[in-house]
Amino acid sequence: MNSAIPVITIDGPSASGKGTVAQLVATELGFHYLDSGALYRIVALATQQQNIAWSNAQAIAECSKSLAITFINDQVFLNNKEVTSDIRTEAMGKGASQVAVHEPLRKVLIEIQHAFCKAPGLVADGRDMGTVIFPDAPLKVFLTASTEVRATRRYQQLINKKQAANYDGILQDLLERDARDQNRASAPLIMANDAVLLETDNLTISQAVNYVLDKYQRFI
Ligand code: C5P
């Protein structure tokens, strides 16, 4: 990896809005964008298709080595088939957080994630971008919101997409995913020591984007 290439990491819990913020910051700066959660979602989908249990660490890691994963603009391809909306379901979110506990899989995905670090720069969003994947990033943001606000945002997203949504179920799922992501042994969701905390309960998306851009201006 070339340490001269600037990297902004945006980590945080599910449905915190970090994906939206990270994408807009990347667009604004003309940087590349890594949605690392999509990688875990793709692995959840591929292993499900191959009848591999999400508890089977070795088989998941082996399977993930043979996957052809491509991102073209906003589209995601698995073995040349578009899976953009297939990986965005609640089921694949849950599956992603189950496969993501396994260290052998996380090791396989390191190289793929490092390959996104290209000039003129990268905005990387996930759970361990600042702690494990890009520990030398000059700007690390930990973006979060209260569980209730995150559940409401997720509920609204599903309603907007005309999908079935149940607030209590969404809240329960978020609490389960938070607990699994925070308590796993390998690369748990944790704020890096040198990250800045961005609480978004009372912020609009553009306020959050401007906060990150403003912080970044201080590094250049
Ligand atoms: O960000 P997203 O909700 O798409 O991520 C899905 C799941 O993938 C998370 O709940 C988490 O368990 C896992 N993940 C991870 N490390 C990352 C990104 C996502 O473990 N860097």
Side-chain angles (χ1 to χ4, degrees), residues 14 18 35-38 40-41 88 93 96-97 100 106 113 125-129 177 181 184:
S14 305
K18 63 189 162 36
D35 170 8
S36 61
Y40 292 92
R41 288 170 179 269
R88 288 284 144 224
S97 88
R106 302 198 75 88
Q113 294 173 88
D125 118 48
R127 304 294 185 290
D128 61 343
M129 298 295 98
R177 271 173 70 182
D181 289 353
R184 67 185 177 215

Side-chain angles (χ1 to χ4, degrees), residues 134-166:
F134 300 108
D136 300 326
L139 175 59
K140 300 178 185 179
V141 178
F142 193 82
L143 191 153
T144 188
S146 66
T147 322
E148 290 70 23
V149 166
R150 290 187 285 126
T152 305
R153 287 178 185 165
R154 177 57 53 85
Y155 175 84
Q156 205 51 54
Q157 272 173 2
L158 291 171
I159 295 290
N160 292 346
K161 285 196 271 180
K162 303 208 182 331
Q163 289 179 17
N166 169 286

Side-chain angles (χ1 to χ4, degrees), residues 69-86:
I69 299 171
T70 326
F71 293 87
I72 301 175
N73 301 320
D74 288 344
Q75 293 177 304
V76 186
F77 294 84
L78 167 61
N79 300 331
N80 296 319
K81 181 180 175 291
E82 203 207 327
V83 293
T84 316
S85 51
D86 299 346

